[in-house]
Amino acid sequence: GAPCSCGRRHEFKSKIISGSGAVLNIPSIIKEYGAKKPYIISDTNTYRMAGNRICRLLNEAELNYSSFIFGEGQLDPDEKTVGTAFMNMNSECDMIIAVGSGVINDTAKILAQHTKLPYIIVATAPSMDGYASMTSSVILGGLKSSLPSRCADVIIGDADILAEAPKKMLLAGIGDMLAKYISICEWRIAALILGEYYCEEIAELIRCALRQITESTDALLCNKTEAISAVFDGLIAGSVAMNYAGGSRPASGAEHYISHIIDMRGVEFNEPVELHGIQCAIGTLISLKLYEKLKGITPNRDLALCYVNSFDLEDWNRRLRTLLGKSAEAMISLEIKEGKYDKQKHRERLELILDKWDGILNIINEELPSSEYIEALMLRLGLPIDISEIGIDEKLMPDIFRASKDIRDKYVLPRLLWDLGVIDEFATNINQ
């Protein structure tokens, strides 16, 4: 709550309980909040990992509760999932306890937002950075959206539970953290070009978490509990940074939007999707390679103006509909409000880019590791490095990348490339 050098006050009021046996605190937390009947949400996997243990603890403490377990199969973060959780909630429930990670947590945060009830999240995997964020990543009307929601009052990261998570979940958490290289870089570029709010102390919080994880590689390969805790702590740091910044800037950028486009295609066309963090890791490697290519060009005002003047928005909207089906409509509607393709706005941005080009290059050099380093790290850990390894047709990648500029009102790499008039060149050669 103390004033920051950026001029804002940053507050984070959630309680974080981590370490071995952290879950044993739940009965006392329930009593502390005066809750009489918590509502426990899990799925079949997370119930087996921790939900049944929590129910036993409450039974032993003679505490009443209601429990709902989502069945087998993929759980999508959409209206149906949120509605199902809400409709199975007993009217007498006065606290929400979620047992899980991504979808379970996002769903419970929305319930907590609308019911105003105290909320506890029991993390079952160090797989994503949303445990302590004030938004939920959900599919709303076919569009992957970030909705305001309620951050958990208590976040429990029991090292014994986290250590039981499948290795793939740990890899997803690492992938979500590696993405922070891109997000901090793009946050600084947006601040430089557009005057967007930026806080160096928040950025350094993320950098410290990244260093802690990359320095724990050997321990991670051995699946050591302390290394898993380091990943979890880093993911919590990402969540806290988003709260401090009042948005997702410190924790997501172009690499996340590549993942979101893949998720939207998965829902629309029943195509394969991978864990979000693993998709983000691949998106990070793609973005790093494109940033390296960007450093090798000289911006050309005439080329950029010619490209934008000849840009056919209707043709692009048709391609979006082919790529994403009906979910493209939400992105098209967003552009009507945003107007990023407005030619006058583009000219103004272009002049700023040309004027500050050296500053942009300095940011890229200061913030981003080499793609060779990250690729070697990913291979060492067992992360896939290409979308073909997760069942996505490589031929789709150029338009997936182009579409990633349309999913949010946020200045990221594909928008910078569009402003420079080189996005088609970069996207066409993205797999090379």
Side-chain angles (χ1 to χ4, degrees):
C4 178
S5 60
C6 71
R8 294 188 181 185
R9 286 181 178 268
H10 306 307
E11 293 185 324
F12 181 71
K13 298 180 179 180
S14 300
K15 179 186 292 186
I16 301 171
I17 305 175
S18 60
S20 180
V23 75
L24 298 175
N25 290 277
I26 287 182
S28 62
I29 295 170
I30 293 172
K31 293 175 182 177
E32 177 185 340
Y33 278 89
K36 302 299 182 183
K37 190 172 185 179
Y39 176 45
I40 303 173
I41 308 172
S42 61
D43 62 28
T44 53
N45 291 324
T46 63
Y47 180 80
R48 185 183 65 254
M49 290 180 66
N52 57 359
R53 194 178 318 180
I54 293 169
C55 291
R56 285 199 305 269
L57 286 170
L58 270 57
N59 287 332
E60 291 168 2
E62 298 183 345
L63 293 170
N64 194 16
Y65 62 89
S66 173
S67 175
F68 174 70
I69 304 170
F70 282 98
E72 297 283 354
Q74 180 175 315
L75 195 60
D76 293 318
D78 56 15
E79 301 98 320
K80 179 182 178 181
T81 299
V82 174
T84 299
F86 183 78
M87 292 180 70
N88 282 278
M89 183 175 182
N90 191 297
S91 61
E92 297 176 357
C93 292
D94 52 4
M95 172 182 274
I96 298 168
I97 302 176
V99 184
S101 56
V103 178
I104 293 289
N105 182 46
D106 283 331
T107 298
K109 284 194 293 184
I110 293 174
L111 290 188
Q113 169 80 0
H114 289 284
T115 61
K116 310 301 182 187
L117 295 178
Y119 170 43
I120 302 171
I121 174 66
V122 179
T124 55
S127 57
M128 55 92 209
D129 64 0
Y131 286 118
S133 76
M134 297 178 68
T135 61
S136 290
S137 184
V138 297
I139 297 173
L140 181 63
L143 177 65
K144 197 68 179 288
S145 305
S146 185
L147 296 183
S149 59
R150 179 173 174 178
C151 180
D153 297 279
V154 182
I155 301 161
I156 297 178
D158 191 309
D160 301 323
I161 294 172
L162 295 172
E164 293 176 6
K167 182 182 178 182
K168 193 180 214 183
M169 303 290 279
L170 173 62
L171 292 178
I174 296 170
D176 208 337
M177 282 305 300
L178 293 178
K180 280 30 172 185
Y181 285 116
I182 305 297
S183 61
I184 296 299
C185 177
E186 292 180 338
W187 193 16
R188 288 184 62 187
I189 290 173
L192 181 67
I193 296 174
L194 305 178
E196 188 175 309
Y197 163 74
Y198 171 78
C199 176
E200 177 59 26
E201 293 189 35
I202 296 175
E204 186 58 24
L205 174 66
I206 295 292
R207 296 188 194 106
C208 287
L210 268 170
R211 286 193 292 270
Q212 185 177 7
I213 289 171
T214 54
E215 290 169 3
S216 300
T217 303
D218 290 336
L220 288 168
L221 289 169
C222 298
N223 203 36
K224 290 185 178 178
T225 301
E226 58 266 29
I228 292 171
S229 293
V231 174
F232 180 75
D233 290 345
L235 293 167
I236 293 296
S239 296
V240 173
M242 287 189 277
N243 280 331
Y244 283 170
S248 62
R249 256 304 182 192
S252 70
E255 77 299 321
H256 269 62
Y257 299 159
I258 290 171
S259 176
H260 289 339
I261 295 295
I262 293 172
D263 288 342
M264 290 166 66
R265 278 191 60 88
V267 172
E268 182 70 20
F269 302 119
N270 196 30
E271 290 187 348
V273 296
E274 208 12 299
L275 292 174
H276 171 67
I278 290 177
Q279 292 178 171
C280 285
I282 296 172
T284 296
L285 187 56
I286 289 170
S287 298
L288 287 172
K289 291 179 178 180
L290 293 179
Y291 270 113
E292 288 169 351
K293 184 176 180 180
L294 180 64
K295 291 193 295 182
I297 74 167
T298 300
N300 185 309
R301 178 184 287 104
D302 291 338
L303 182 152
L305 291 173
C306 180
Y307 176 82
V308 169
N309 285 332
S310 62
F311 180 75
D312 187 334
L313 181 56
E314 287 304 313
D315 178 64
W316 172 239
N317 287 343
R318 283 192 291 271
R319 290 168 67 178
L320 269 182
R321 291 183 177 105
T322 300
L323 180 70
L324 297 171
K326 63 179 181 295
S327 61
E329 300 306 323
M331 295 170 69
I332 293 169
S333 297
L334 178 63
E335 170 54 26
I336 294 172
K337 297 178 182 178
E338 185 186 351
K340 64 179 172 292
Y341 295 128
D342 179 89
K343 292 181 173 56
Q344 179 57 39
K345 290 181 180 179
H346 167 257
R347 282 191 289 270
E348 294 169 0
R349 288 196 305 271
L350 179 60
E351 292 307 315
L352 288 168
I353 293 167
L354 295 172
D355 182 58
K356 299 180 183 295
W357 185 246
D358 288 343
I360 293 171
L361 293 180
N362 287 337
I363 290 170
I364 295 171
N365 288 325
E366 290 170 3
E367 297 293 347
L368 299 184
S370 70
S371 61
E372 289 82 1
Y373 168 74
I374 294 299
E375 183 171 327
L377 180 63
M378 290 171 63
L379 287 171
R380 191 177 181 200
L381 290 168
L383 276 162
I385 61 171
D386 189 272
I387 64 165
S388 63
E389 296 178 57
I390 60 172
I392 308 297
D393 187 348
E394 285 188 345
K395 294 178 183 178
L396 294 170
M397 196 59 229
D399 271 349
I400 288 174
F401 178 73
R402 291 185 184 98
S404 66
K405 71 184 181 314
D406 295 288
I407 201 166
R408 295 277 197 282
D409 184 6
K410 189 187 288 186
Y411 201 77
V412 290
L413 174 61
R415 293 200 179 190
L416 175 59
L417 297 179
W418 188 87
D419 280 347
L420 290 168
V422 296
I423 188 170
D424 288 340
E425 173 192 343
F426 276 57
T428 300
N429 299 307
I430 202 167
N431 294 318
Q432 298 179 2

